[in-house]
Amino acid sequence: MSAFLAAEWPGICFGTSGLGNLFTALPFETKQAIVGASIECTSGKTIFDSAGKYGAGLALEVLGDCFAAMQADPAKVVVSNKLGWYRTALKTAEPTFEPGVWKDLQHDAVQRISYNGILECFEQGNELLKGYIPQMVSVHDPDEYLAGAANDVHAHARFDDILNAYQALRDLKDKGKVSMIGVGAKDWRVIRRIAEYVDLDWIMIANSMTVKSHPAELLDFIAAAYSKGIRVINSAVFHSGFLVGGAYYDYRLVGGVQSGDLELLTWRRRFFELCDEFNVKPAAACVQFAVGVPGVVSIALNTTDPSRVPGNVGLVENRLPESFWQALKEHKLIDFIPVF
């Protein structure tokens, strides 16, 4: 199995948490329509970003069922499987791994970040996918795994677990069972730390490189990674929906009373005003800025509505006027103008 060429990378990767019943349980017909529209709306390869944690493997299972039902060409679809969560029997009223988040699940999941644990997750994922073997693999949310350490000694041991897990992925790649090894995290500094020890092919940053927040240190890291041939995928570019009108910023309710709330609300108000002035949708501005960061080759977007798939692709492909970016910079809402 060989890695696909850089020219084959689509500008969008399709998230699959909705296939795993995140927040709501969609009927299979809707999920199949989402998968079908995603394939139809992309030329060349179609990348689906999934994980054993999504619905305790349900997203992988549904993805495999959809591929089988539509007889998807394995050469056309690429699955990115973030490994580290293993499906188990459901013995409680609701799953224990993330209570209240996933709906109508029939299974639970446990975390297995170790050499053998990652291999077990990989094999189980392949079974759920009905033989559609992932080309892209990674360890799921290593930053959260490290953050769960009780103390410094525990954190050191957990980082060793992560490195052992990546050794398992390296062995899979050396055996030709996968094409590319990557890492995704909300804390990009953990990605940088892992990159010091692991030869990565791609990285996915989340809640980090956005039209609202684009620190110079992260820009430098992305540029350095890209110069080494590491493909960069940008995700979670709406900051939990706040940048398009939602009440939560990075999963925290913004009510105007906590530190930083006023700055966030003021920034968004000015952002919306300029979007209105230039007749630009806030979502389009968020996506275009995120994909216009030098070194970013693709952006990950998710939907639970198949009719929105073409629009999401359009958000990635349709460029905005230079004058809009100039205005944002002049009003000190952004530090640089995106490059396309």
Side-chain angles (χ1 to χ4, degrees), residues 86-97:
Y86 190 86
R87 171 184 278 190
T88 60
L90 182 63
K91 299 180 180 180
T92 52
E94 66 173 339
T96 60
F97 68 100

Side-chain angles (χ1 to χ4, degrees), residues 44-61:
K45 306 285 187 179
T46 305
I47 300 178
F48 292 95
D49 177 58
S50 198
K53 189 179 185 181
Y54 293 168
L58 179 61
L60 292 167
E61 188 173 31

Side-chain angles (χ1 to χ4, degrees), residues 12 14 33-35 37-39 41 303 305-314:
I12 184 172
F14 296 96
I34 292 170
V35 173
S38 301
I39 295 174
C41 289
T303 185
D305 183 352
S307 68
R308 296 185 63 179
V309 172
N312 282 350
V313 174

Side-chain angles (χ1 to χ4, degrees), residues 193-204:
R193 182 182 177 190
I194 291 172
E196 295 176 358
Y197 296 87
V198 180
D199 184 14
L200 299 169
D201 300 299
W202 59 272
I203 61 177
M204 177 182 283

